[in-house]
Amino acid sequence: MSKAFVLDTKKRPLDPIHSAQARQLLRSKKAAIYRQFPFTIILKESRSDSPISPLRLKIDPGAKFTGMALVNDANGEVVFAAELKHRGFAIRDALTSRRQLRRSRRARKTRYRQPRFLNRTRPERWLAPSLQSRIENIKTWVERLRKLAPIEAISQELVRFNMQLMTNPDIQGKEYQRGSNSITNLTLSCEKCNTKKGTKDIKYFLKKDPLKLEKILKQAKRPLADAAAVNTTRTALLEVLKATGLPVETGSGGLTKFNRSEQNLEKTHWIDAACVGKSTPILNIKGVKPLLITANGHGSRQSCRTDKYGFPSRHVPREKIHFGFQTGDIAKAVVTTGKKIGTYVGKVAIRSTGSFNIYTKNGLIQGISHKFCKRIHAKDGYSYAQ
């Protein structure tokens, strides 16, 4: 598994250590647990003279998942890896649902304001909330990891899709025959094939190669939402990383694939991250298990829930904290009496009655008393798995 982060008494990040060393320090009472995810200990004595090896944070941004890895450039050791799952598409669906409900209420001529136009201006370089959330997720974890590890450089993959026009069979070429400029009218092709095709219909151009024609016809109708999301946010993310003041290295997707293939590594998000950039050394990934991070948000501000028709159906209580817990905390419950004797670890959903639900890796456990629960990680908008 990944190494444990270490802080000294002044919360200065030291070199990460093996989990066995961390357990030994905890047993001997020389350290205490500072953070559960990612696992971090804080020493009880000063280590101001301890040597520190600088690390490089490598990031492979994606539409749904972003890979992250901390690499020691001197020896190629991957000391920490994580895969961050974004919630951009969930935000998009939530905004769509809210827009539809508002439109329905206005159409029913009820006591609801009419739609307004041209009353809001978007700032320069504005991004849609579903795209901005991806950048904020990565920014959050860059800041967190900088507080826990001696990071002195950052590498980011800049994804660039070189799209040549290979026209949709239903719409002739954009430049010559006024085809659509939609992303669905673009297909990946090399410059040689694109020039040779010209304005010919794709069915006529590839009539002697039915297998390739069938493949392109399927691709022509396929939306490229993931590629569009990554391309839209890559520059904004680069500016966020440069704002940290650390040197930022960029690399292409082709270079990442080359580095991974040269070392015969499997394709995963965190391994791709470790292979970003020209600075990639011979990697040592033995025993590394990535931390799986899922962005869940901090809940909804809606005080009233609606049914599928947009009518109020239930209200949300004002109180968010009961018995020292709030929904989203990660807790450990040791049940010693009753029908549910056992130990359960997971996210809690609280009730004012004190009977909580715990979402464990084996499923939902209902009706656990708050008296058996102990919080091990406060709610921070993310959930974790190994």
Side-chain angles (χ1 to χ4, degrees):
M1 61 190 312
S2 299
K3 290 190 172 182
F5 294 118
V6 183
L7 303 178
D8 66 6
T9 53
K10 296 182 179 180
K11 296 184 180 180
R12 185 173 65 102
L14 304 178
D15 284 346
I17 60 176
H18 193 275
S19 57
Q21 292 177 275
R23 289 193 297 268
Q24 185 177 7
L25 289 172
L26 292 173
R27 282 195 299 264
S28 60
K29 304 294 180 66
K30 293 182 179 180
I33 296 177
Y34 179 77
R35 188 181 180 89
Q36 196 73 31
F37 301 102
F39 190 75
T40 308
I41 62 173
I42 183 168
L43 300 177
K44 295 183 178 181
E45 57 184 22
S46 178
R47 296 284 182 90
S48 57
D49 57 344
S50 178
I52 299 176
S53 301
L55 301 177
R56 178 182 293 272
L57 173 59
K58 296 196 167 191
I59 303 171
D60 176 28
K64 297 178 180 177
F65 290 89
T66 289
M68 295 181 289
L70 283 177
V71 180
N72 188 327
D73 287 341
N75 55 22
E77 182 184 16
V78 178
V79 300
F80 174 81
E83 293 184 356
L84 172 60
K85 183 179 180 181
H86 298 291
R87 59 187 297 263
F89 293 111
I91 293 175
R92 180 196 62 187
D93 295 341
L95 291 174
T96 300
S97 175
R98 186 178 70 175
R99 182 172 62 250
Q100 291 171 344
L101 290 174
R102 285 180 171 176
R103 183 176 298 171
S104 173
R105 289 197 294 266
R106 290 175 182 138
R108 289 197 303 267
K109 297 183 179 179
T110 56
R111 293 181 60 188
Y112 192 75
R113 70 169 176 82
Q114 294 297 315
R116 296 173 293 181
F117 300 97
L118 302 179
N119 66 316
R120 295 178 179 87
T121 57
R122 293 174 176 173
E124 187 179 358
R125 298 181 182 178
W126 176 87
L127 289 174
S130 58
L131 301 178
Q132 186 65 36
S133 71
R134 295 178 172 93
I135 297 177
E136 295 299 331
N137 289 158
I138 298 174
K139 179 182 177 181
T140 295
W141 278 96
V142 169
E143 293 173 351
R144 288 186 182 181
L145 291 175
R146 287 189 66 192
K147 294 178 181 179
L148 303 178
I151 298 174
E152 295 190 3
I154 300 177
S155 296
Q156 177 204 353
E157 180 179 291
L158 276 181
V159 183
R160 297 183 182 273
F161 293 92
N162 183 18
M163 287 199 170
Q164 300 290 338
L165 186 66
M166 181 73 80
T167 55
N168 187 306
D170 299 330
I171 308 172
Q172 297 303 314
K174 165 182 172 288
E175 295 292 336
Y176 298 99
Q177 302 188 21
R178 299 178 182 177
S180 167
N181 196 27
S182 168
I183 194 72
T184 58
N185 194 43
L186 298 178
T187 301
L188 295 173
S189 71
C190 65
E191 184 178 358
K192 180 180 178 181
C193 291
N194 189 56
T195 303
K196 185 177 179 181
K197 176 188 174 296
T199 59
K200 298 177 184 177
D201 187 285
I202 190 66
K203 294 180 180 178
Y204 175 76
F205 178 66
L206 293 177
K207 65 179 181 180
K208 296 182 179 180
D209 194 344
L211 294 178
K212 184 179 293 185
L213 175 61
E214 181 183 2
K215 181 179 179 181
I216 290 180
L217 291 180
K218 289 181 179 179
Q219 181 178 333
K221 292 290 186 180
R222 184 183 304 165
L224 299 176
D226 290 357
V230 175
N231 277 340
T232 304
T233 58
R234 67 173 184 238
T235 304
L237 177 59
L238 180 60
E239 292 177 356
V240 167
L241 297 179
K242 288 183 176 179
T244 62
L246 298 176
V248 180
E249 174 195 43
T250 59
S252 66
L255 178 59
T256 299
K257 182 178 180 180
F258 174 80
N259 290 337
R260 188 185 70 245
S261 301
E262 283 290 297
Q263 301 188 38
N264 295 319
L265 301 175
E266 62 177 336
K267 180 173 176 57
T268 62
H269 298 291
W270 70 272
I271 289 181
D272 273 352
C275 295
V276 169
K278 294 182 179 179
S279 62
T280 303
I282 301 299
L283 297 174
N284 176 13
I285 62 172
K286 183 178 180 181
V288 177
K289 292 184 180 179
L291 179 65
L292 307 181
I293 308 168
T294 302
N296 297 320
H298 293 274
S300 173
R301 292 182 296 173
Q302 280 185 312
S303 59
C304 178
R305 300 287 192 262
T306 62
D307 59 18
K308 63 179 180 180
Y309 302 107
F311 289 98
S313 60
R314 59 196 182 280
H315 292 270
V316 179
R318 292 176 180 269
E319 295 79 10
K320 301 296 183 183
I321 299 177
H322 291 287
F323 305 98
F325 294 86
Q326 63 177 328
T327 298
D329 288 345
I330 300 177
K332 179 179 181 180
V334 181
V335 182
T336 56
T337 60
K339 298 180 180 179
K340 299 175 182 177
I341 295 177
T343 301
Y344 310 99
V345 178
K347 295 181 66 174
V348 297
I350 65 170
R351 293 194 187 100
S352 59
T353 60
S355 179
F356 296 169
N357 293 344
I358 300 182
Y359 297 87
T360 69
K361 62 180 181 179
N362 296 323
L364 173 64
I365 308 297
Q366 297 180 327
I368 302 296
S369 173
H370 70 93
K371 297 178 181 179
F372 298 122
C373 297
K374 179 182 178 181
R375 186 174 65 183
I376 61 175
H377 190 87
K379 171 188 175 182
D380 61 357
Y382 298 89
S383 60
Y384 305 91
Q386 198 69 48

